[in-house]
Amino acid sequence: MTAAGRWRELQEQRGIPPEIVARAPESPWKHDPKHFGAPEQAHDTPSRDAALAVLDGAGGAVLDVGCGGGSASLAVAGSADLLVGVDHNPGMLEVFSADCTARGVTFRTVLGEWPAVAGEAGSADAVLCHHVGYNTVDFPPFLLALTEAARRGVVMELTARHPMAWLDPLWLRFHGLRRAEPATADDAVAVLVELGITPTVVRWRRPARLPEDPEWVARRLCLPPQRVGEVAAALAEIPPRARDTVTLSW
């Protein structure tokens, strides 16, 4: 099997069975945009270092694919002339726009899915894509569009394993669902290599990014609010979410 085929298979198997989704009181994929705002002080991470190395003090445009609130691009805004935020969620783009405006950063936004909106987004000196890769099933077109949009380089940040794999024991406990093997950053590297791209790989550990309270987990598990107490008890019995992170740049 090709690396791209393996990625597709692993990602397709991570889907939630439709009968479970149908019973969910609200969407398990719902995200509150307020949780994705960029920090006031940019965190010093290997991904930020890689983006700054791409810009190399020469300024230019930064394209942030799946920008959320703009944490990736706003971290290097002081070294850029323009930030372009792409996201399929209008609420995320509102947070991104508000932060850019408050900080006096020149920006524009593109609403839609990557790579469908790649033409509208245009090219940039640095293309950043943080924590979006595992949302993608057909990976090669996604990666190639990032590469084609970059005049100087691409920086992608991923968790070392699929970010929801830590909840697999709870899917088994609450739904009797044995989850398939998760995709990993190594699988992403294999797809890139298959495309003729050899990325620089930096492995590191980052702090928590998103809420992981029992209410949030219950929603991810398609469970109603009255089962939050059971979820809290179950969370105490499984290992905490891993923070292992990988920065890929090319």
Side-chain angles (χ1 to χ4, degrees), residues 4-167:
R6 171 178 165 80
W7 179 275
R8 171 180 285 280
E9 183 175 282
L10 292 174
Q11 290 292 90
E12 287 177 338
Q13 291 174 352
R14 296 298 297 181
I16 303 173
E19 62 272 18
I20 293 179
V21 176
R23 296 194 299 267
E26 59 180 318
S27 171
W29 300 289
K30 178 183 176 182
H31 291 295
D32 187 340
K34 72 181 182 184
H35 293 141
F36 290 80
E40 289 290 334
Q41 183 67 38
H43 297 148
D44 186 14
T45 69
S47 298
R48 180 172 184 262
D49 291 344
L52 290 172
V54 171
L55 292 170
D56 196 26
V62 173
L63 174 59
D64 191 349
V65 175
C67 64
S71 293
S73 52
L74 281 165
V76 297
S79 298
D81 302 312
L82 169 70
L83 304 186
V84 181
V86 176
D87 207 287
H88 68 93
N89 186 329
M92 297 293 187
L93 292 180
E94 289 176 7
V95 173
F96 173 76
S97 299
D99 271 357
C100 286
T101 299
R103 303 179 195 202
V105 173
T106 302
F107 72 97
R108 70 180 179 92
T109 60
V110 178
L111 175 64
E113 297 274 1
W114 187 269
V117 297
E120 184 181 351
S123 61
D125 298 284
V127 174
L128 314 181
C129 183
H130 288 199
H131 301 280
V132 180
Y134 291 114
N135 297 340
T136 306
V137 173
D138 193 9
F139 214 16
F142 185 95
L143 295 170
L144 289 173
L146 294 177
T147 305
E148 291 165 4
R151 290 192 287 265
R152 300 185 205 163
V154 180
V155 179
M156 172 175 274
E157 184 176 299
L158 298 163
T159 50
R161 301 170 75 237
H162 190 289
M164 292 296 103
W166 72 291
L167 294 179

